[in-house]
Amino acid sequence: MSNRQTTRKRSEQEEEYFKILFRDYFASMCVFADRYLHDGEIARDVVHDVFCRIWENPSELTGVSNVKNYLYTSVRNHCFDVLRRENVHHR
C-alpha cells in the first residue's frame, strides 16, 4: 500500500490552511531558526521538518489558540534539539 493510500485524505480546507501557514510563516521561521543555528541551510531544514510534521499530522494544531506562537515554539525546540545533537557529536 502506498503512503498516499495509508494517509487520511485531507480536506480542501486543511490543505488551504496549510498553504496559508506555509506562505505566511516559512520565511520568518527560517530567519528565526537561523538566529539559533547560524546556518541558513540547517535552519530551513528545521523549519521544513516542523511544517512536514504538521502536514503529516494536522490534528497537532487542534486546540492551538495561537498558531504563530506554536510555530515559533516548535521551531525553537527543534533548533535546541539540533544544537544538543551537534554538541554531543563535538565531545
Side-chain angles (χ1 to χ4, degrees):
M1 206 182 289
S2 75
N3 193 25
R4 281 188 163 179
Q5 292 170 328
T6 59
T7 304
R8 177 183 68 79
K9 176 82 172 111
R10 285 171 185 68
S11 71
E12 287 182 30
Q13 273 185 314
E14 286 175 327
E15 287 188 26
E16 188 59 31
Y17 184 63
F18 181 83
K19 288 177 189 178
I20 291 168
L21 285 179
F22 191 86
R23 181 194 68 215
D24 289 353
Y25 293 110
F26 185 81
S28 61
M29 294 292 119
C30 288
V31 170
F32 178 71
D34 192 45
R35 289 184 192 148
Y36 287 99
L37 302 170
H38 308 289
D39 185 317
E41 188 174 332
I42 295 172
R44 281 188 299 280
D45 289 345
V46 162
V47 176
H48 182 262
D49 289 347
V50 169
F51 275 99
C52 282
R53 193 178 69 229
I54 292 168
W55 176 254
E56 291 169 357
N57 187 16
S59 65
E60 195 168 309
L61 295 178
T62 302
V64 173
S65 59
N66 189 324
V67 174
K68 183 178 178 179
N69 283 348
Y70 177 85
L71 290 171
Y72 274 103
T73 300
S74 295
V75 168
R76 184 198 65 207
N77 290 343
H78 198 21
C79 286
F80 289 162
D81 291 342
V82 168
L83 292 170
R84 268 193 298 273
R85 280 194 301 268
E86 185 178 291
N87 212 7
V88 167
H89 288 285
H90 285 112
R91 288 185 180 181

